[in-house]
Amino acid sequence: MKYSIVDIGSNTIRLQIYEVDENGNIDSLMNKKTFAGLSSYVENGLMTKKGADKLVNILNNFIYISNHFKIENLHLFATAALRNATNREQILSYVEDQVGHKIDLLSGKEEARLGYLGIQEDYNISNGYIVDIGGGSVEISLVENNKVVYATSLTNGALSYYKEYSSGIFPKKKEALAIKKAIIADLEREGVKRFKKSLPIYGLGGTIRACGNISQEYFDLPSNRHLYKDSIRTLKKELQDTKAPLIKTVLQVVPERIHTIGPGAIVLYEIFRYLNASELYISKNGVREGYLKDKVSKN
């Protein structure tokens, strides 16, 4: 059976078409994404009509593609960009009316739960943290003895930190310090649990995958799916210093994230430090796959 899943994120909107066999095995058939930057259309907590209309245009295009392939199982879900907007009910009602489809608005904890379901396609996690750095939020879960015992969502992400603190493409040193203080304050305010023992982080989401892809190319690493704190620290520092070879690498590997990779690397490094993490394993799967598994199990 084929499914179309549309993931409405703060930075990107993505259509992914999957085939699920009778045993529940998932195969990705097509992946199309558009960088919408929806969080940048939020002003004083309100999403603008211009942002809503941009979302409508993208969704109508993705729905057209799904209909072209005659896929009956079409599901749309949204995360932080709409969740954090104070006029979210208005925007959801308007967009749903324009596109003719219901949109599931995930809570932060639901997003974290589905991220765990999705990452299980890649890793069997017995003990560790799951971290998803999105454009408008950060989800952190703690897994102990193969069970999620804690999950929370921070109401800022790479794009919102960029919008709040950066005056140029990359944060200057004072701006980077402000982002560092902000993410630490957010972690402490949410009471994110941490332990003296060092546990690995299992990462998902576009920001973390971009850090992995850039690091593999720039540091000549054997894999883009396994990083240590030293690589993230160097990446963060050289982005702040706007080192020409690194900027060239970013433009070659993830040009669409040129403005959010600086704040994203700062956020990832500070989470590493805060959690006393040992290493980072990066998953190619995430919330979309978890959402799909959830839908399949309910069907």
Side-chain angles (χ1 to χ4, degrees), residues 151-170:
T152 192
S153 178
L154 312 182
T155 55
N156 283 302
L159 184 58
S160 49
Y161 284 124
Y162 168 79
K163 183 180 174 185
E164 179 71 21
Y165 297 105
S166 292
S167 59
I169 298 297
F170 295 99

PDB file of all heavy atoms in Angstrom, residues 151-170:
ATOM      1  N   ALA A 151      10.423  13.057  27.711  1.00  0.00           N
ATOM      2  CA  ALA A 151      10.428  13.756  26.423  1.00  0.00           C
ATOM      3  C   ALA A 151       9.960  15.187  26.627  1.00  0.00           C
ATOM      4  O   ALA A 151       9.039  15.447  27.403  1.00  0.00           O
ATOM      5  CB  ALA A 151       9.515  13.048  25.415  1.00  0.00           C
ATOM      6  N   THR A 152      10.610  16.114  25.944  1.00  0.00           N
ATOM      7  CA  THR A 152      10.215  17.514  26.034  1.00  0.00           C
ATOM      8  C   THR A 152      10.489  18.215  24.710  1.00  0.00           C
ATOM      9  O   THR A 152      11.196  17.684  23.852  1.00  0.00           O
ATOM     10  CB  THR A 152      10.961  18.227  27.177  1.00  0.00           C
ATOM     11  OG1 THR A 152      10.361  19.502  27.423  1.00  0.00           O
ATOM     12  CG2 THR A 152      12.437  18.417  26.843  1.00  0.00           C
ATOM     13  N   SER A 153       9.918  19.409  24.551  1.00  0.00           N
ATOM     14  CA  SER A 153      10.096  20.194  23.342  1.00  0.00           C
ATOM     15  C   SER A 153      10.407  21.633  23.721  1.00  0.00           C
ATOM     16  O   SER A 153       9.692  22.230  24.537  1.00  0.00           O
ATOM     17  CB  SER A 153       8.815  20.132  22.494  1.00  0.00           C
ATOM     18  OG  SER A 153       8.939  20.917  21.324  1.00  0.00           O
ATOM     19  N   LEU A 154      11.477  22.181  23.157  1.00  0.00           N
ATOM     20  CA  LEU A 154      11.830  23.587  23.343  1.00  0.00           C
ATOM     21  C   LEU A 154      11.185  24.399  22.226  1.00  0.00           C
ATOM     22  O   LEU A 154      11.142  23.958  21.083  1.00  0.00           O
ATOM     23  CB  LEU A 154      13.343  23.778  23.307  1.00  0.00           C
ATOM     24  CG  LEU A 154      14.202  22.836  24.167  1.00  0.00           C
ATOM     25  CD1 LEU A 154      15.677  23.206  24.036  1.00  0.00           C
ATOM     26  CD2 LEU A 154      13.772  22.879  25.619  1.00  0.00           C
ATOM     27  N   THR A 155      10.716  25.584  22.547  1.00  0.00           N
ATOM     28  CA  THR A 155       9.946  26.359  21.567  1.00  0.00           C
ATOM     29  C   THR A 155      10.814  27.281  20.717  1.00  0.00           C
ATOM     30  O   THR A 155      10.359  28.324  20.248  1.00  0.00           O
ATOM     31  CB  THR A 155       8.855  27.189  22.274  1.00  0.00           C
ATOM     32  OG1 THR A 155       9.477  28.004  23.279  1.00  0.00           O
ATOM     33  CG2 THR A 155       7.813  26.295  22.908  1.00  0.00           C
ATOM     34  N   ASN A 156      12.067  26.923  20.525  1.00  0.00           N
ATOM     35  CA  ASN A 156      12.963  27.614  19.595  1.00  0.00           C
ATOM     36  C   ASN A 156      13.760  26.575  18.827  1.00  0.00           C
ATOM     37  O   ASN A 156      14.003  25.477  19.332  1.00  0.00           O
ATOM     38  CB  ASN A 156      13.922  28.552  20.331  1.00  0.00           C
ATOM     39  CG  ASN A 156      13.251  29.837  20.767  1.00  0.00           C
ATOM     40  OD1 ASN A 156      12.723  30.584  19.952  1.00  0.00           O
ATOM     41  ND2 ASN A 156      13.246  30.103  22.072  1.00  0.00           N
ATOM     42  N   GLY A 157      14.178  26.941  17.605  1.00  0.00           N
ATOM     43  CA  GLY A 157      15.000  26.055  16.802  1.00  0.00           C
ATOM     44  C   GLY A 157      16.001  26.861  16.010  1.00  0.00           C
ATOM     45  O   GLY A 157      16.171  28.068  16.228  1.00  0.00           O
ATOM     46  N   ALA A 158      16.671  26.213  15.064  1.00  0.00           N
ATOM     47  CA  ALA A 158      17.754  26.868  14.320  1.00  0.00           C
ATOM     48  C   ALA A 158      17.277  28.121  13.580  1.00  0.00           C
ATOM     49  O   ALA A 158      17.959  29.147  13.577  1.00  0.00           O
ATOM     50  CB  ALA A 158      18.372  25.873  13.332  1.00  0.00           C
ATOM     51  N   LEU A 159      16.094  28.047  12.967  1.00  0.00           N
ATOM     52  CA  LEU A 159      15.599  29.200  12.212  1.00  0.00           C
ATOM     53  C   LEU A 159      15.138  30.327  13.133  1.00  0.00           C
ATOM     54  O   LEU A 159      15.397  31.508  12.871  1.00  0.00           O
ATOM     55  CB  LEU A 159      14.454  28.775  11.292  1.00  0.00           C
ATOM     56  CG  LEU A 159      13.880  29.851  10.368  1.00  0.00           C
ATOM     57  CD1 LEU A 159      14.968  30.440   9.459  1.00  0.00           C
ATOM     58  CD2 LEU A 159      12.728  29.292   9.530  1.00  0.00           C
ATOM     59  N   SER A 160      14.470  29.976  14.231  1.00  0.00           N
ATOM     60  CA  SER A 160      14.000  31.024  15.141  1.00  0.00           C
ATOM     61  C   SER A 160      15.160  31.696  15.873  1.00  0.00           C
ATOM     62  O   SER A 160      15.140  32.912  16.101  1.00  0.00           O
ATOM     63  CB  SER A 160      12.971  30.472  16.135  1.00  0.00           C
ATOM     64  OG  SER A 160      13.408  29.299  16.754  1.00  0.00           O
ATOM     65  N   TYR A 161      16.208  30.930  16.218  1.00  0.00           N
ATOM     66  CA  TYR A 161      17.411  31.550  16.816  1.00  0.00           C
ATOM     67  C   TYR A 161      18.086  32.475  15.802  1.00  0.00           C
ATOM     68  O   TYR A 161      18.562  33.552  16.158  1.00  0.00           O
ATOM     69  CB  TYR A 161      18.397  30.484  17.284  1.00  0.00           C
ATOM     70  CG  TYR A 161      18.012  29.787  18.570  1.00  0.00           C
ATOM     71  CD1 TYR A 161      17.900  28.395  18.613  1.00  0.00           C
ATOM     72  CD2 TYR A 161      17.762  30.496  19.732  1.00  0.00           C
ATOM     73  CE1 TYR A 161      17.550  27.740  19.783  1.00  0.00           C
ATOM     74  CE2 TYR A 161      17.415  29.849  20.906  1.00  0.00           C
ATOM     75  CZ  TYR A 161      17.301  28.465  20.925  1.00  0.00           C
ATOM     76  OH  TYR A 161      16.958  27.819  22.073  1.00  0.00           O
ATOM     77  N   TYR A 162      18.134  32.039  14.559  1.00  0.00           N
ATOM     78  CA  TYR A 162      18.718  32.889  13.507  1.00  0.00           C
ATOM     79  C   TYR A 162      17.934  34.195  13.377  1.00  0.00           C
ATOM     80  O   TYR A 162      18.516  35.289  13.337  1.00  0.00           O
ATOM     81  CB  TYR A 162      18.713  32.143  12.167  1.00  0.00           C
ATOM     82  CG  TYR A 162      19.024  33.035  10.983  1.00  0.00           C
ATOM     83  CD1 TYR A 162      20.332  33.404  10.689  1.00  0.00           C
ATOM     84  CD2 TYR A 162      18.003  33.541  10.186  1.00  0.00           C
ATOM     85  CE1 TYR A 162      20.620  34.248   9.620  1.00  0.00           C
ATOM     86  CE2 TYR A 162      18.279  34.376   9.112  1.00  0.00           C
ATOM     87  CZ  TYR A 162      19.589  34.734   8.837  1.00  0.00           C
ATOM     88  OH  TYR A 162      19.872  35.576   7.803  1.00  0.00           O
ATOM     89  N   LYS A 163      16.627  34.065  13.319  1.00  0.00           N
ATOM     90  CA  LYS A 163      15.769  35.239  13.146  1.00  0.00           C
ATOM     91  C   LYS A 163      15.919  36.202  14.322  1.00  0.00           C
ATOM     92  O   LYS A 163      15.923  37.425  14.145  1.00  0.00           O
ATOM     93  CB  LYS A 163      14.315  34.781  13.008  1.00  0.00           C
ATOM     94  CG  LYS A 163      13.318  35.896  12.753  1.00  0.00           C
ATOM     95  CD  LYS A 163      11.914  35.334  12.644  1.00  0.00           C
ATOM     96  CE  LYS A 163      10.879  36.444  12.546  1.00  0.00           C
ATOM     97  NZ  LYS A 163       9.496  35.922  12.548  1.00  0.00           N
ATOM     98  N   GLU A 164      16.051  35.655  15.524  1.00  0.00           N
ATOM     99  CA  GLU A 164      16.102  36.478  16.733  1.00  0.00           C
ATOM    100  C   GLU A 164      17.456  37.152  16.944  1.00  0.00           C
ATOM    101  O   GLU A 164      17.523  38.302  17.377  1.00  0.00           O
ATOM    102  CB  GLU A 164      15.772  35.600  17.955  1.00  0.00           C
ATOM    103  CG  GLU A 164      15.807  36.328  19.293  1.00  0.00           C
ATOM    104  CD  GLU A 164      14.658  37.303  19.477  1.00  0.00           C
ATOM    105  OE1 GLU A 164      13.633  37.155  18.799  1.00  0.00           O
ATOM    106  OE2 GLU A 164      14.815  38.232  20.295  1.00  0.00           O
ATOM    107  N   TYR A 165      18.556  36.454  16.601  1.00  0.00           N
ATOM    108  CA  TYR A 165      19.868  36.925  17.044  1.00  0.00           C
ATOM    109  C   TYR A 165      20.847  37.282  15.929  1.00  0.00           C
ATOM    110  O   TYR A 165      21.840  37.968  16.196  1.00  0.00           O
ATOM    111  CB  TYR A 165      20.514  35.867  17.955  1.00  0.00           C
ATOM    112  CG  TYR A 165      19.731  35.622  19.219  1.00  0.00           C
ATOM    113  CD1 TYR A 165      18.967  34.469  19.384  1.00  0.00           C
ATOM    114  CD2 TYR A 165      19.755  36.554  20.258  1.00  0.00           C
ATOM    115  CE1 TYR A 165      18.241  34.247  20.544  1.00  0.00           C
ATOM    116  CE2 TYR A 165      19.031  36.340  21.425  1.00  0.00           C
ATOM    117  CZ  TYR A 165      18.275  35.183  21.557  1.00  0.00           C
ATOM    118  OH  TYR A 165      17.561  34.976  22.698  1.00  0.00           O
ATOM    119  N   SER A 166      20.634  36.813  14.707  1.00  0.00           N
ATOM    120  CA  SER A 166      21.634  37.037  13.662  1.00  0.00           C
ATOM    121  C   SER A 166      21.269  38.243  12.794  1.00  0.00           C
ATOM    122  O   SER A 166      20.133  38.367  12.343  1.00  0.00           O
ATOM    123  CB  SER A 166      21.776  35.799  12.767  1.00  0.00           C
ATOM    124  OG  SER A 166      22.352  34.740  13.490  1.00  0.00           O
ATOM    125  N   SER A 167      22.263  39.080  12.542  1.00  0.00           N
ATOM    126  CA  SER A 167      22.047  40.247  11.678  1.00  0.00           C
ATOM    127  C   SER A 167      22.546  39.997  10.251  1.00  0.00           C
ATOM    128  O   SER A 167      22.240  40.764   9.341  1.00  0.00           O
ATOM    129  CB  SER A 167      22.764  41.467  12.260  1.00  0.00           C
ATOM    130  OG  SER A 167      24.158  41.210  12.387  1.00  0.00           O
ATOM    131  N   GLY A 168      23.319  38.925  10.060  1.00  0.00           N
ATOM    132  CA  GLY A 168      23.856  38.577   8.747  1.00  0.00           C
ATOM    133  C   GLY A 168      23.624  37.109   8.463  1.00  0.00           C
ATOM    134  O   GLY A 168      22.822  36.445   9.119  1.00  0.00           O
ATOM    135  N   ILE A 169      24.339  36.583   7.468  1.00  0.00           N
ATOM    136  CA  ILE A 169      24.183  35.169   7.124  1.00  0.00           C
ATOM    137  C   ILE A 169      24.636  34.273   8.267  1.00  0.00           C
ATOM    138  O   ILE A 169      23.969  33.302   8.618  1.00  0.00           O
ATOM    139  CB  ILE A 169      24.973  34.828   5.841  1.00  0.00           C
ATOM    140  CG1 ILE A 169      24.426  35.635   4.649  1.00  0.00           C
ATOM    141  CG2 ILE A 169      24.896  33.340   5.531  1.00  0.00           C
ATOM    142  CD1 ILE A 169      22.988  35.314   4.296  1.00  0.00           C
ATOM    143  N   PHE A 170      25.785  34.590   8.866  1.00  0.00           N
ATOM    144  CA  PHE A 170      26.303  33.816   9.989  1.00  0.00           C
ATOM    145  C   PHE A 170      26.325  34.688  11.245  1.00  0.00           C
ATOM    146  O   PHE A 170      26.586  35.894  11.152  1.00  0.00           O
ATOM    147  CB  PHE A 170      27.721  33.313   9.698  1.00  0.00           C
ATOM    148  CG  PHE A 170      27.787  32.339   8.568  1.00  0.00           C
ATOM    149  CD1 PHE A 170      28.163  32.751   7.299  1.00  0.00           C
ATOM    150  CD2 PHE A 170      27.455  31.010   8.759  1.00  0.00           C
ATOM    151  CE1 PHE A 170      28.216  31.865   6.251  1.00  0.00           C
ATOM    152  CE2 PHE A 170      27.494  30.103   7.708  1.00  0.00           C
ATOM    153  CZ  PHE A 170      27.876  30.533   6.449  1.00  0.00           C
TER     154      PHE A 170
END
